[in-house]
Amino acid sequence: MRTLSILLFLAFTQLSLQAQLDNKALLEHANEIIESEGQLEIISASEAIYSEKKRIVILNKESEANAFVVFYDPDNKIMNLDADIYDLSGAPIRKVRKSEIRDVAAVDGVSIYTENRVQYIELNHSEYPYILEFSYRQKLKGLSFAAGQNWYFQDRASSAVTSSSYEITVPDDLDIQYQLYNMELEPTITNRESEKTYRWEAKNIPAIKFEPYDIPVHRQIPILRISPSKFEIDGYSGSMQSWQDYGGFLQQLWVDRDQLPTELKEQIRELTADIEDTKEKIARLYRLMQENKRYVSVQLGIGGWQPFTAEYVEERGYGDCKALSNYMKAMLNEIGVESYPVIVKAGGHHPYEVEDDFVDPAFNHAILYVPGEDMWLECTSSINPPGYLGEFTNDRKVLLVTPEGGQLARTPKLSTAENNANEQFTIDLSADGSAALQYKAMLRGIPHEDWRYYKYAYSPKDIEDKVRNMGKLPTLTLDEVNITNDPNLPQNTLSFKATANRYASRAGKRLFVPMNLICPRTYVPDAVENRQYPVMISHGYTEEATITFNLPDGYKTESLPQPQLLETPFGRYETTVIEAEGTVTLQRNYQMYDQEHPAEAYEAFREFLMAVAKHDASKMVLVSE
């Protein structure tokens, strides 16, 4: 009887799978088909059990859904983890052996000790399509419970989803808060004798087509965000009913952790005694921390949310983002300057946008805010000037942890003008097409960040390789490269001298000379039919360039590019060509505005980029007299 049941099930699965494979609307842009179900059983304010099952049809080699990852630690143990591979008929290929499940520390490259670990499975099969099944069950406590178990109905844009369900059971004396994004779907709510069950179920979600310059994926795929109304961690009680409540919980974790040794207090007073300006005092203490402390992550127990003490950092010489922010806060307290810890979702151009009316602790970083000076401090950086956040944390909503509880705020935005590259490039051309080059640029804001870091962390050879990859420069022989970082402002200068054997192309008595090899914009995205999503330009910037050509003896210009002026809602592009005795100078100004435009504006945006690329590829023609 059992064998018959299995055969009937496999036959039904095969029929169902064939229908899925024939569903072109569902699979048009898909690399995998997914069925999934999750269950969260909240037992108390400090503990839950989570389980998940997933069936994935890997359609092609482009799919990245053949791996499964589960994070755990001593408080959040994995109760079981299983995986199997089937062929398209549903016949087993093999069951995954325990030895194939890799168990490694969840290190980030800078942690020296962490209790966080990962169980990781990556499965491959040579014949497509094939089927993977994953399942696991895990006990959740502490931070993993309090952070909530969000549900992704669609794992990634390339996934077509035939069905996905999530069920949460909570005791009567507790409850959850939830928010669904990018989909309209109400839960089925069932009340039993002593508990409540929420269930969401979605079907037939098509894969999402990649679109250049599109909005971040978290604004495209359906996500259910969950947070517990009440929670307990290591004896601390908290609430996520409001940001003020949640910030009040975090405030508990920072209390009385800012005591400093007597010797350090004396050093702080001596260091700041001769100045009156508060910002300069802050800058001096910030540099003291930069010069003597380093960022190293140590994650133990509640340490994911609670900082180590200031004394710990002083004694050991290192700390994670919370510990260093707390250390800086303690030093500022010593000179009577109030500051607030800040938690933030850092990294990337499109971080998850915090909602005013829904608490989801999806943060991964801590910085510091000085309200009296409206000054933000990135305490993990050894190289940032005081008060500069940069691309990693600028222009996003954050949570200030104040004595009155949590307060939402927004970090400063780097403007189109502040993200600036001002380049001076001189090319001494020779009749054979070779050239001697001199370059100097003042870089500000985001354009300066890479070079600041390269000066700090990379070898001279690495820096030279980066110079050689600038723009469309030919093979260079570099004579000298210099980076000078401004210690007080988010800017630096980059300069180099070089020679190029083939800068211009020679044909008979003519030289064909590219006008802009140092900062050309060459990328033009593909055309997109029936675009679905807005056009997003993540950050604005300005490029100003003066490129001067010293002509070889005996040559004159035969043709020059015409001046250009393009003014659009997306950006502005202007070039002017000036000819003088023995020289030709290109002046170029290019601005890209950080804005979001409707989907129907994409073709006009693409035309602007095509025009820029065309004009940046212009050449002048020289002819021998």
Side-chain angles (χ1 to χ4, degrees):
M1 178 65 94
R2 183 173 179 273
T3 302
L4 177 61
S5 297
I6 292 173
L7 290 173
L8 288 172
F9 171 76
L10 289 176
F12 173 78
T13 299
Q14 179 63 17
L15 289 171
S16 174
L17 179 57
Q18 189 59 54
Q20 294 171 17
L21 294 173
D22 291 340
N23 190 338
K24 294 182 180 179
L26 188 71
L27 300 186
E28 185 176 2
H29 307 294
N31 294 327
E32 58 272 340
I33 307 172
I34 293 182
E35 296 178 6
S36 62
E37 60 181 62
Q39 292 181 322
L40 179 66
E41 180 187 359
I42 297 177
I43 299 169
S44 68
S46 61
E47 185 178 358
I49 293 177
Y50 176 78
S51 60
E52 182 176 335
K53 296 179 181 179
K54 188 169 291 186
R55 180 175 181 268
I56 307 168
V57 181
I58 304 294
L59 297 174
N60 54 55
K61 65 180 181 180
E62 304 302 321
S63 175
E64 297 178 353
N66 61 321
F68 198 73
V69 178
V70 182
F71 290 85
Y72 77 98
D73 58 40
D75 282 338
N76 299 277
K77 295 180 179 178
I78 300 172
M79 300 162 73
N80 66 278
L81 173 60
D82 294 304
D84 301 278
I85 308 178
Y86 301 87
D87 66 20
L88 206 58
S89 71
I93 295 174
R94 66 184 181 87
K95 186 173 183 62
V96 173
R97 299 181 298 273
K98 295 295 183 184
S99 60
E100 293 181 82
I101 302 175
R102 285 178 270 177
D103 192 317
V104 297
V107 296
D108 55 10
V110 291
S111 297
I112 61 169
Y113 189 69
T114 177
E115 295 176 303
N116 299 323
R117 297 188 67 82
V118 168
Q119 288 199 2
Y120 174 79
I121 309 172
E122 182 176 341
L123 302 178
N124 295 289
H125 185 57
S126 58
E127 296 182 14
Y128 298 93
Y130 64 93
I131 301 170
L132 303 179
E133 289 191 359
F134 297 106
S135 65
Y136 82 101
R137 185 174 171 85
Q138 184 176 24
K139 181 178 291 185
L140 302 178
K141 295 181 69 175
L143 300 184
S144 294
F145 168 77
Q149 282 291 313
N150 296 333
W151 183 254
Y152 293 79
F153 291 95
Q154 190 172 23
D155 286 44
R156 47 176 60 85
S158 64
S159 298
V161 179
T162 54
S163 70
S164 178
S165 66
Y166 193 39
E167 186 172 282
I168 302 175
T169 302
V170 295
D172 281 345
D173 59 337
L174 297 173
D175 208 348
I176 60 166
Q177 293 150 179
Y178 61 87
Q179 189 85 282
L180 185 64
Y181 299 84
N182 309 313
M183 176 183 284
E184 293 184 5
L185 184 67
E186 292 296 325
T188 301
I189 302 175
T190 305
N191 290 290
R192 296 187 179 90
E193 182 177 347
S194 59
E195 64 185 23
K196 180 190 294 186
T197 298
Y198 298 81
R199 180 178 174 81
W200 294 262
E201 186 169 3
K203 291 182 179 295
N204 298 324
I205 305 171
I208 298 170
K209 180 182 179 181
F210 167 75
E211 295 180 341
Y213 288 92
D214 63 355
I215 56 177
V217 71
H218 70 253
R219 289 177 54 190
Q220 300 180 38
I221 63 175
I223 303 171
L224 178 66
R225 296 194 181 275
I226 301 291
S227 62
S229 296
K230 295 187 294 184
F231 61 92
E232 295 177 3
I233 305 175
D234 287 5
Y236 294 93
S237 296
S239 168
M240 292 191 189
Q241 293 184 340
S242 72
W243 285 114
Q244 184 176 9
D245 290 344
Y246 178 57
F249 164 76
L250 293 177
Q251 172 68 14
Q252 298 179 69
L253 305 184
W254 290 66
V255 169
D256 296 331
R257 305 187 75 78
D258 56 359
Q259 303 304 307
L260 296 173
T262 302
E263 298 81 0
L264 179 56
K265 290 182 178 181
E266 292 174 355
Q267 183 182 7
I268 291 168
R269 288 192 290 270
E270 289 175 6
L271 188 63
T272 58
D274 63 334
I275 50 175
E276 296 294 330
D277 183 71
T278 302
K279 278 195 172 180
E280 180 55 30
K281 289 183 179 182
I282 295 170
R284 286 193 183 184
L285 295 181
Y286 184 75
R287 292 191 186 97
L288 176 67
M289 179 181 65
Q290 285 183 311
E291 292 166 2
N292 294 281
K293 302 296 179 281
R294 61 193 175 95
Y295 170 73
V296 177
S297 180
V298 180
Q299 302 292 335
L300 300 172
I302 200 173
W305 285 1
Q306 184 176 57
F308 284 98
T309 66
E311 289 178 309
Y312 175 99
V313 175
E314 176 64 11
E315 178 184 335
R316 289 166 174 77
Y318 59 77
D320 67 0
C321 59
K322 301 176 299 299
L324 292 173
S325 296
N326 180 61
Y327 180 80
M328 185 70 199
K329 181 178 185 295
M331 291 199 294
L332 294 178
N333 286 346
E334 190 61 27
I335 60 171
V337 174
E338 183 180 34
S339 60
Y340 301 144
V342 181
I343 55 173
V344 54
K345 179 70 170 178
H349 298 320
H350 312 299
Y352 161 64
E353 188 65 65
V354 174
E355 302 284 344
D356 290 350
D357 58 354
F358 181 72
V359 178
D360 180 4
F363 302 107
N364 60 1
H365 190 50
I367 57 178
L368 197 67
Y369 178 59
V370 183
E373 301 298 325
D374 192 24
M375 194 172 183
W376 304 81
L377 300 172
E378 171 54 75
C379 298
T380 64
S381 173
S382 299
I383 58 175
N384 274 9
Y388 181 70
L389 294 183
E391 188 176 16
F392 192 54
T393 52
N394 93 111
D395 189 30
R396 64 201 69 194
K397 204 173 285 186
V398 299
L399 185 68
L400 308 183
V401 181
T402 77
E404 292 75 36
Q407 295 179 17
L408 293 180
R410 195 169 193 92
T411 56
K413 178 180 181 178
L414 291 165
S415 69
T416 298
E418 289 173 306
N419 295 323
N420 181 276
N422 190 312
E423 301 171 286
Q424 306 292 321
F425 194 33
T426 301
I427 302 104
D428 294 326
L429 289 168
S430 298
D432 61 358
S434 64
L437 316 175
Q438 293 187 63
Y439 173 87
K440 186 173 184 179
M442 172 65 78
L443 308 173
R444 299 180 178 89
I446 292 174
H448 106 286
E449 292 182 19
D450 262 6
W451 293 105
R452 180 179 285 268
Y453 186 68
Y454 260 73
K455 173 71 172 181
Y456 167 77
Y458 284 81
S459 70
K461 181 182 182 302
D462 291 329
I463 294 172
E464 288 183 3
D465 289 343
K466 186 172 175 64
V467 167
R468 289 189 177 94
N469 288 322
M470 288 173 60
K472 291 289 185 179
L473 291 171
T475 302
L476 298 180
T477 300
L478 289 165
D479 297 325
E480 56 184 78
V481 179
N482 291 299
I483 303 171
T484 303
N485 290 329
D486 191 313
N488 302 309
L489 298 171
Q491 63 184 35
N492 52 21
T493 58
L494 168 68
S495 63
F496 67 82
K497 294 181 180 180
T499 56
N501 289 333
R502 296 188 63 183
Y503 193 92
S505 300
R506 184 178 176 87
K509 62 180 183 178
R510 289 178 174 80
L511 283 177
F512 296 86
V513 185
M515 295 297 292
N516 179 17
L517 292 181
I518 193 64
C519 56
R521 291 285 168 172
T522 59
Y523 172 68
V524 177
D526 292 337
V528 177
E529 293 184 8
N530 302 316
R531 185 179 174 98
Q532 299 297 307
Y533 294 103
V535 177
M536 173 173 275
I537 303 168
S538 58
H539 64 264
Y541 54 86
T542 299
E543 295 173 347
E544 302 170 279
T546 300
I547 304 172
T548 301
F549 296 89
N550 293 320
L551 308 187
D553 290 340
Y555 277 77
K556 63 179 181 180
T557 60
E558 184 176 69
S559 67
L560 293 172
Q562 294 299 306
Q564 301 295 328
L565 177 60
L566 305 172
E567 293 190 90
T568 75
F570 318 106
R572 183 180 186 277
Y573 177 86
E574 183 177 16
T575 62
T576 303
V577 179
I578 302 169
E579 184 174 10
E581 184 66 32
T583 67
V584 173
T585 300
L586 170 69
Q587 293 181 336
R588 176 185 182 273
N589 185 289
Y590 177 52
Q591 290 183 304
M592 182 69 82
Y593 308 140
D594 54 339
Q595 293 180 350
E596 186 172 309
H597 303 273
E600 54 267 24
Y602 176 72
E603 190 54 37
F605 173 63
R606 184 170 172 270
E607 288 173 359
F608 172 62
L609 295 182
M610 281 194 292
V612 170
K614 175 184 174 182
H615 298 312
D616 271 354
S618 296
K619 295 182 179 182
M620 67 176 172
V621 181
L622 305 181
V623 62
S624 60
E625 298 180 284

